[in-house]
């Protein structure tokens, strides 16, 4: 039986999972899938490593009403596949590693308690991430589980990138710019290092543009600054999240509009961003296909803010050698990339229209400007590799 690793990426409305074969210090995909639409239109779908559909099943909303139902549905479905392998560990995406975890951690009772103490820092995500760890620990206490953090990649960023202009006691209390999407940045910067080692040693901005969106400035593959801060609300506008906002707006909503903290939270996390701006959709594909003027304005707002973030990070880095696009929008929307690129002419950027339209890897035009690339992200593979590395180190 070959050794295998299971990777869980649990969100509030979906749980993504992948099963990998461990081959030495590398991993090879066996299957991957998700149970999404939890509580609304639950659907479990999975494919094998070459894209053959293994299952595609819908559930009634009350059959999979909450995350724990989804865990059981996935658990029941995956049992026969797990039985074909020797499961050596489980890797989890955990959004918050707090101020200190800068590497993946093998989970024991103490680590779990520490991670629980970060729930107030990411109330929406941290609980959902920790839940499958607890469930698996109860069923298989012998099975090593590894927590891989979205914040860890940024822990080495300079102090100036870690600060808000607030009194120091708040900083000591954990009110810091943690930054997120770290697993994606680590994967993409590793892929860039393989593609173009010289470029990867330089000044690079990676734009992770998916439902959540952020950008990160890297020097020699290390995070120097990123657009997400204390929470995953900051920085770029996203599908449903507002991005950077004058904090006075929050005071206004509470003091003048009488909104509760929970109502403000729902507004900023679930009803803002592209969805709030356009009134049409949170989905970039739908906005690009829409004739509504507000949809066009939302796209314009998004691309302007992405370009502004790239320019801002270029200042932090002292210049720009390469811009990399990744995640759903970054990997698949030539239109969005073209509009961001056009706004960055002042940095000498110029895209090759044909290469961009074909979603090729290298999409900049010949010339002295920064390189521009499209590199698909793979957070689950990053988690699998990190989990394997920790397990192998412990043997
Ligand atoms: P998640 O954070 O949910 O993993 P993804 O990285 O899958 O998100 O990105 C989802 C976003 O990518 C959505 O806004 C979706 O509309 C957008 N997207 C996917 N494919 C395309 C495409 N071909 N053109 C434009 N946008 C796309």
């Amino acid at each position: 039986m070959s050794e295998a690793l299971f990777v869980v990426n649990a969100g509030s409305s979906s749980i993504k999972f992948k099963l990998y074969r461990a081959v030495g210090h590398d991993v090879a995909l066996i299957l991957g899938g998700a149970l999404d639409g939890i509580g609304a239109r639950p659907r479990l779908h999975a494919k094998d490593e070459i894209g053959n559909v293994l299952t595609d099943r819908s559930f009634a909303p009350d059959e999979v009403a909450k995350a724990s139902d989804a865990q059981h549905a996935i658990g029941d479905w995956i049992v026969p596949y797990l039985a074909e392998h020797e499961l050596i560990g489980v890797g989890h995406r955990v959004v918050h590693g707090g101020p200190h975890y800068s590497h993946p951690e093998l989970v024991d009772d103490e680590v779990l308690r520490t991670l629980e103490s970060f729930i107030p820092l990411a109330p929406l995500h941290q609980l959902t991430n920790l839940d499958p760890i607890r469930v698996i620990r109860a069923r298989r206490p012998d099975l090593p589980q590894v927590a891989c953090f979205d914040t860890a990649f940024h822990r080495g960023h300079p102090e100036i990138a870690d600060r808000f202009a607030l009194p120091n006691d708040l900083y000591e209390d954990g009110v810091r710019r943690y930054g997120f999407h770290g697993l994606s940045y680590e994967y993409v910067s590793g892929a860039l290092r393989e593609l173009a080692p010289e470029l990867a040693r330089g000044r690079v901005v990676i734009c992770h543009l998916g439902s959540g969106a952020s950008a990160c400035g890297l020097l020699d593959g290390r995070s120097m600054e990123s657009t997400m801060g204390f929470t995953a609300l900051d920085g770029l506008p996203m599908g449903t999240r507002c991005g950077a906002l004058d904090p006075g707006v929050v005071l206004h909503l509470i003091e003048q509009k009488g909104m509760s903290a929970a109502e403000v939270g729902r507004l900023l996390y679930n009803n803002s961003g592209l969805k709030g701006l356009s009134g049409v959709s949170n989905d970039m594909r739908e906005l690009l296909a829409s004739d509504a003027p507000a949809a066009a304005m939302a796209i314009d707002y998004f691309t302007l803010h992405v370009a502004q973030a790239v320019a801002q990070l270029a200042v932090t880095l002292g210049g720009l050698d390469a811009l990399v696009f990744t995640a759903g929008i970054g990997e698949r929307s030539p239109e969005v990339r073209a509009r961001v690129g056009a706004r960055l002419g002042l940095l000498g950027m110029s895209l090759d229209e044909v290469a961009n339209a074909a979603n090729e890897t290298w999409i900049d035009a010949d010339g002295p400007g920064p390189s521009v690339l499209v590199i698909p992200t793979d957070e689950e593979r990053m988690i699998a590799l990190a989990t394997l590395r920790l397990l192998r180190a412990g043997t």
Side-chain angles (χ1 to χ4, degrees):
M1 269 208 283
S2 59
E3 293 181 325
L5 292 158
F6 191 52
V7 169
V8 183
N9 181 350
S12 49
S13 66
S14 77
I15 299 180
K16 294 183 195 161
F17 56 90
K18 283 189 178 162
L19 185 63
Y20 292 89
R21 188 175 294 111
V23 189
H25 288 271
D26 201 0
V27 296
L29 185 66
I30 298 170
L31 62 85
L35 201 160
D36 40 39
I38 296 169
R41 289 165 61 190
R43 180 178 156 236
L44 173 65
H45 51 96
K47 292 180 178 169
D48 68 12
E49 80 281 16
I50 51 168
N52 294 319
V53 175
L54 299 174
T55 188
D56 192 347
R57 175 179 170 206
S58 296
F59 296 83
D62 59 348
E63 265 184 291
V64 185
K66 48 192 188 309
S68 56
D69 301 332
Q71 286 165 24
H72 288 297
I74 294 168
D76 292 345
W77 177 78
I78 200 127
V79 164
Y81 295 97
L82 294 182
E84 293 172 19
H85 305 275
E86 182 202 346
L87 191 62
I88 58 168
V90 184
H92 297 264
R93 177 187 194 172
V94 175
V95 74
H96 225 298
H100 304 302
Y101 287 131
S102 55
H103 296 287
E105 280 290 322
L106 200 58
V107 179
D108 58 18
D109 288 338
E110 197 190 324
V111 170
L112 199 53
R113 266 194 304 277
T114 308
L115 297 181
E116 281 167 351
S117 75
F118 302 145
I119 290 172
L121 297 178
L124 294 179
H125 295 101
Q126 191 80 348
L127 253 182
T128 344
N129 297 158
L130 298 184
D131 208 33
I133 301 183
R134 264 193 239 99
V135 171
I136 296 172
R137 253 174 102 66
R139 282 198 195 168
R140 291 279 311 270
D142 55 306
L143 192 62
Q145 299 196 70
V146 174
C148 300
F149 308 108
D150 262 329
T151 49
F153 185 66
H154 305 291
R155 282 302 78 214
H157 63 195
E159 184 184 356
I160 200 168
D162 210 39
R163 290 268 176 181
F164 293 105
L166 290 171
N168 190 51
D169 51 348
L170 283 169
Y171 181 74
E172 296 303 331
D173 225 25
V175 182
R176 303 178 180 203
R177 296 191 59 87
Y178 292 99
F180 299 87
H181 287 142
L183 295 162
S184 177
Y185 292 129
E186 196 176 349
Y187 178 83
V188 172
S189 88
L192 179 65
R193 205 179 317 121
E194 297 205 344
L195 268 173
E198 198 52 44
L199 213 49
R201 276 195 280 276
R203 302 160 297 184
V204 175
V205 171
I206 303 175
C207 290
H208 176 110
L209 309 178
S211 308
S214 71
C216 180
L218 302 94
L219 267 185
D220 195 13
R222 281 173 293 119
S223 171
M224 289 292 122
E225 188 180 6
S226 61
T227 58
M228 276 181 175
F230 179 59
T231 66
L233 264 186
D234 201 5
L236 303 177
M238 308 175 217
T240 61
R241 287 173 253 165
C242 57
L245 182 75
D246 176 349
V249 173
V250 176
L251 296 177
H252 172 81
L253 295 175
I254 294 169
E255 289 172 358
Q256 308 302 324
K257 296 278 183 188
M259 287 172 74
S260 67
E263 285 168 335
V264 175
R266 269 195 298 280
L267 174 75
L268 303 184
Y269 275 98
N270 303 327
N271 292 313
S272 299
L274 297 174
K275 180 182 175 188
L277 274 171
S278 70
V280 172
S281 173
N282 62 326
D283 192 299
M284 184 55 85
R285 267 168 307 195
E286 289 182 26
L287 297 181
L288 288 165
S290 168
D291 296 331
M297 185 267 293
I299 298 169
D300 213 22
Y301 187 99
F302 182 78
T303 51
L304 171 64
H305 282 257
V306 173
Q308 285 178 340
V310 175
Q312 187 178 326
L313 292 166
V315 171
T316 302
L317 300 176
L320 186 66
D321 300 308
L323 171 64
V324 185
F325 288 100
T326 194
I329 300 170
E331 291 165 26
R332 293 191 277 275
S333 178
E335 169 84 23
V336 168
R337 291 191 302 257
R339 291 169 70 164
V340 172
R343 288 198 182 268
L344 290 169
L346 84 166
L347 296 181
M349 194 170 293
S350 161
L351 299 198
D352 178 318
E353 261 180 55
V354 176
N356 183 40
N359 294 323
E360 284 180 13
T361 304
W362 297 90
I363 60 168
D364 54 295
D366 286 344
S371 299
V372 186
L373 297 94
V374 177
I375 300 182
T377 192
D378 192 341
E379 290 155 304
E380 285 83 15
R381 186 174 158 78
M382 196 67 238
I383 296 169
L385 286 170
T387 301
L388 185 61
R389 203 179 310 131
L390 246 180
L391 295 184
R392 294 282 196 241
T395 54

